[in-house]
Amino acid sequence: MNSVGGFGIANVDIIFGNADRMPKLGEEIYSGYCSKQLGGGAVATLIQLSRLGIPVKLATYIGEGLLSKFLKKELEKNKIEFTNMLSSDEEDPVTLSCVVSCG
């Protein structure tokens, strides 16, 4: 079977849900839900294709930091074959994004 490949920087998305409202600068509020997931256009597309049973490959940047360790674990869990294109000592070349979802 043929495979689909993609390349790009992976995102680790931290999603907070069920908040009553957006916090003000410096303020802490309660969130009823928190999830850490992989994101980024190429990665998200390849995850969905893999779930459909299509073999996928990803070329991305992976370091040795905590975000990169999470990235590797999740790529393996989602059956995504990956190649590391990193050629520096950067610990976490992964983009971190945070989303707050309000009711």
Side-chain angles (χ1 to χ4, degrees):
M1 174 184 265
N2 293 332
S3 63
V4 174
F7 66 94
I9 296 174
N11 292 358
V12 173
D13 298 332
I14 300 177
I15 302 165
F16 297 95
N18 299 333
D20 291 334
R21 59 181 173 75
M22 288 295 291
K24 296 175 183 161
L25 185 61
E27 179 184 29
E28 295 180 11
I29 62 169
Y30 175 78
S31 171
Y33 170 82
C34 180
S35 174
K36 186 166 56 171
Q37 302 176 14
L38 292 187
V43 175
T45 301
L46 294 176
I47 287 172
Q48 295 305 319
L49 290 171
S50 177
R51 289 178 180 170
L52 292 171
I54 297 168
V56 295
K57 299 177 183 180
L58 172 68
T60 191
Y61 305 96
I62 304 171
E64 297 297 326
L66 292 175
L67 293 176
S68 292
K69 288 177 183 175
F70 175 77
L71 170 63
K72 285 192 260 189
K73 180 179 140 205
E74 290 298 303
L75 290 174
E76 290 167 355
K77 182 174 94 177
N78 284 285
K79 299 177 184 160
I80 297 176
E81 184 181 329
F82 59 91
T83 300
N84 188 4
M85 300 188 306
L86 185 65
S87 60
S88 74
D89 293 334
E90 189 172 351
E91 190 171 299
D92 267 321
V94 179
T95 301
L96 176 65
S97 62
C98 181
V99 176
V100 178
S101 175
C102 302

